[in-house]
Amino acid sequence: MQHHAVRRRKQMARTKRIGGGTAAWTRRQMVSRKKWALVEGSRKPRSHIERRMKKLRRLLPNGESMELEGLFRETADYIMCLQMQVKVMQIMVSVLSPMDSGD
């Protein structure tokens, strides 16, 4: 019983300090944070990984229709393709740019 009272006093002290600049979470803030994390139309919280997977699917061409394994494989191929395009453009710049003759 005493443990509960001590914990409650500490919690009350934290919530009083919130106005003074201490970053402590109240129960209301925690509940609203949970509601924010819920997927629209669902009761399941959206995990950090699910959010990142959704972003990755939007980045890849035709990525929204892929399964997880295919998504990772396609991501690796897409990164290699983009790296190759950068190399080609760097070569084109070096070939097409005027050379300094030093005279």
Side-chain angles (χ1 to χ4, degrees), residues 43-95:
R43 301 299 285 167
K44 294 182 181 179
R46 178 181 283 179
S47 73
H48 183 68
I49 294 171
E50 288 172 337
R51 286 193 304 266
R52 289 190 171 224
M53 295 299 297
K54 187 174 181 179
K55 287 180 185 178
L56 181 61
R57 281 191 167 99
R58 279 188 265 149
L59 286 172
L60 287 177
N62 300 324
E64 295 192 17
S65 62
M66 290 184 201
E67 293 295 320
L68 187 62
E69 184 180 334
L71 182 67
F72 287 144
R73 188 178 308 118
E74 188 64 29
T75 301
D77 291 343
Y78 191 57
I79 291 170
M80 288 181 9
C81 179
L82 292 174
Q83 287 174 337
M84 189 60 62
Q85 288 178 9
V86 169
K87 286 180 184 179
V88 168
M89 286 187 274
Q90 288 173 336
I91 292 169
M92 289 175 65
V93 166
S94 67
V95 169

Side-chain angles (χ1 to χ4, degrees), residues 6-23:
V6 170
R7 193 171 69 184
R8 181 72 181 144
R9 269 188 254 132
K10 285 182 182 178
Q11 183 181 12
M12 292 300 289
R14 268 191 309 218
T15 56
K16 286 179 184 175
R17 286 185 297 205
I18 289 174
T22 302

Side-chain angles (χ1 to χ4, degrees), residues 13-50:
R14 268 191 309 218
T15 56
K16 286 179 184 175
R17 286 185 297 205
I18 289 174
T22 302
W25 289 87
T26 63
R27 179 160 175 77
R28 179 181 292 153
Q29 289 171 323
M30 291 169 65
V31 168
S32 68
R33 184 91 171 152
K34 272 187 179 179
K35 286 181 182 177
W36 180 80
L38 290 177
V39 180
E40 275 186 45
S42 173
R43 301 299 285 167
K44 294 182 181 179
R46 178 181 283 179
S47 73
H48 183 68
I49 294 171
E50 288 172 337

